[in-house]
Amino acid sequence: LGQGSAFEDEHGYYLDPVSPNLPSFPEGWRDRLIELDFGEVRAFFVEPNDVAVSKYIRGDDRDMRWLRAGLKSGLLNLDTIGQEADCRAQETPQALRPKKLQPLLEKEKSLTNQ
């Protein structure tokens, strides 16, 4: 189902399934699931800002690229990500908090306010 799969070749899109037990999803994420009915299959998609919070907390370089692209395209809301990430960060031990994310958010916010 993932990127580069036969499923993507056939349908023109791919899926990145995630565990509902992922600890970095923000509170209430299940209430914001986006349901799409494809006839025989019903799919539930995590709201993009909720995915962004999870990626923000993980802080991997590829996650930062994903966040920048989502912010640039207007798919993501910087204020929503910041609020949810701040709530999650309070629950995350200081040693595990990514240090490079706050500057990213500040930079993106300054670019969107120009």
Side-chain angles (χ1 to χ4, degrees):
L1 296 177
Q3 192 169 17
S5 67
F7 181 90
E8 181 185 19
D9 291 343
E10 182 178 339
H11 299 283
Y13 59 92
Y14 64 93
L15 307 173
D16 278 333
V18 295
S19 168
N21 299 320
L22 199 62
S24 57
F25 279 143
E27 178 130 359
W29 69 271
R30 290 175 194 250
D31 298 331
R32 293 183 293 275
L33 285 172
I34 301 164
E35 180 181 352
L36 294 178
D37 190 340
F38 294 100
E40 294 180 23
V41 175
R42 270 185 19 208
F44 294 86
F45 297 87
V46 180
E47 198 277 330
N49 289 299
D50 290 336
V51 174
V53 170
S54 180
K55 289 180 173 292
Y56 175 96
I57 290 169
R58 188 167 73 172
D60 188 75
D61 286 341
R62 64 182 173 190
D63 295 327
M64 295 302 98
R65 287 192 301 275
W66 188 92
L67 283 166
R68 281 192 293 275
L71 290 166
K72 223 177 247 188
S73 72
L75 177 69
L76 302 175
N77 181 289
L78 189 60
D79 291 328
T80 300
I81 296 166
Q83 288 173 342
E84 292 293 340
D86 284 346
C87 290
R88 295 297 302 162
Q90 292 172 9
E91 302 165 11
T92 306
Q94 183 71 34
L96 299 177
R97 293 181 198 169
K99 295 179 179 129
K100 59 187 166 184
L101 299 175
Q102 192 56 41
L104 169 74
L105 285 182
E106 290 169 7
K107 179 181 175 191
E108 293 300 330
K109 192 163 197 157
S110 71
L111 291 174
T112 56
N113 288 333
Q114 291 180 356

